[in-house]
Amino acid sequence: MKHTYTITGMTCNGCRTYVEDALNAIPEINCVEVNLEASEASIEMAQHIFTDKLQKALSSKYHIAEKNIFNVSSETQTTKKSELQQLFPLFLIFFFIIGSSILLNYNPWNGQAFMLDFMGLFYIVFSFFKFLDLKGFPDSFRMYDPVAKVIPLYGWVYPFIELGLGTLFLMRIEITLALIVTLVILGITTIGVTKTLLGKKSIQCACLGTALKLPMTKATLIENTIMIVMAVVMLIKLHN
């Protein structure tokens, strides 16, 4: 018999290999095929195996659930709840970045400096999390970024690009260049995020690297949009 399961928590090919090896080690299982992009596993087994047993074979990082028409509703409710919980670190980080940017410019208030500091801190903080797992980030990033899919090296360089842009914004160096690069790289990533959301693929967002397991949601799209809008506004102000 053959069953299909959804597996959350996988971020790279290393995760896929681990899941396949861990499940194949169960005696009753004949063959396991894991689709990383779809977050699914097709399992051929000699006899039916309860999901609890499959879960015990995996580490706590991964969650496995059988796909069938009877539990779609309950799984959807659980997924929505877990997504909100998982997105809490992202909202918290945004709160601190906004708060820090306000404190740096509130007296006297300087809206232009606020946006530059926000973008600088955004890049510095987000690049930090990517550097925590520099080896795993490229695999997660190319699952939705169009350039990283074609040029794998781009995924390795991207954290350094973010770090460089953050430094330029905070030090007020080559602002126009930094804004143009921001529009290009975030514009490309936003296209990939939009396609992923429209395709309803269940993958993890690499915006905070792989250290924090964040689902790809509209929040990711909003975060990119905020940066793009700020970059456009700043370009207009600088050239008026």
Side-chain angles (χ1 to χ4, degrees), residues 32-225:
V32 178
E33 293 181 1
V34 175
N35 186 320
L36 180 61
E37 291 193 5
S39 296
E40 292 182 355
S42 178
I43 303 178
E44 185 177 326
M45 53 190 74
Q47 62 186 60
H48 181 71
I49 303 173
F50 288 106
T51 307
D52 289 345
K53 184 173 182 178
L54 298 176
Q55 183 65 62
K56 288 179 180 178
L58 303 173
S59 72
S60 58
K61 176 182 178 182
Y62 310 98
H63 176 74
I64 185 169
E66 187 169 4
K67 291 186 67 174
N68 58 60
I69 61 174
F70 300 107
N71 63 6
V72 170
S73 178
S74 61
E75 282 186 8
T76 301
Q77 293 176 357
T78 302
T79 300
K80 287 183 178 179
K81 182 179 179 181
S82 65
E83 283 181 356
L84 291 175
Q85 292 173 339
Q86 290 175 350
L87 285 174
F88 176 73
L90 180 62
F91 296 140
L92 190 62
I93 289 170
F94 259 94
F95 173 78
F96 274 94
I97 292 176
I98 292 172
S100 298
S101 301
I102 292 174
L103 290 175
L104 288 170
N105 300 283
Y106 85 98
N107 188 21
W109 175 249
N110 188 326
Q112 183 171 316
F114 163 78
M115 286 191 285
L116 290 175
D117 287 332
F118 175 88
M119 289 189 284
L121 291 172
F122 176 95
Y123 277 130
I124 294 293
V125 172
F126 277 59
S127 66
F128 165 77
F129 283 99
K130 293 177 177 66
F131 278 114
L132 286 179
D133 185 16
L134 191 56
K135 291 184 178 180
F137 168 74
D139 285 328
S140 298
F141 190 51
R142 67 168 169 254
M143 289 179 67
Y144 61 88
D145 185 89
V147 175
K149 286 181 179 180
V150 179
I151 309 174
L153 180 62
Y154 180 65
W156 290 92
V157 176
Y158 192 82
F160 294 94
I161 295 176
E162 283 196 335
L163 180 60
L165 289 172
T167 302
L168 292 178
F169 282 127
L170 293 177
M171 296 186 69
R172 308 297 193 261
I173 300 172
E174 295 292 344
I175 297 300
T176 300
L177 174 62
L179 291 170
I180 293 173
V181 174
T182 293
L183 289 176
V184 173
I185 65 171
L186 291 186
I188 293 172
T189 301
T190 300
I191 292 174
V193 170
T194 303
K195 287 183 177 180
T196 300
L197 293 175
L198 291 176
K200 297 182 179 180
K201 292 182 179 179
S202 177
I203 66 174
Q204 290 194 0
C205 176
C207 55
L208 287 175
T210 59
L212 298 177
K213 296 178 286 184
L214 299 180
M216 179 67 72
T217 65
K218 293 179 181 178
T220 311
L221 185 62
I222 293 172
E223 129 202 339
N224 282 1
T225 302

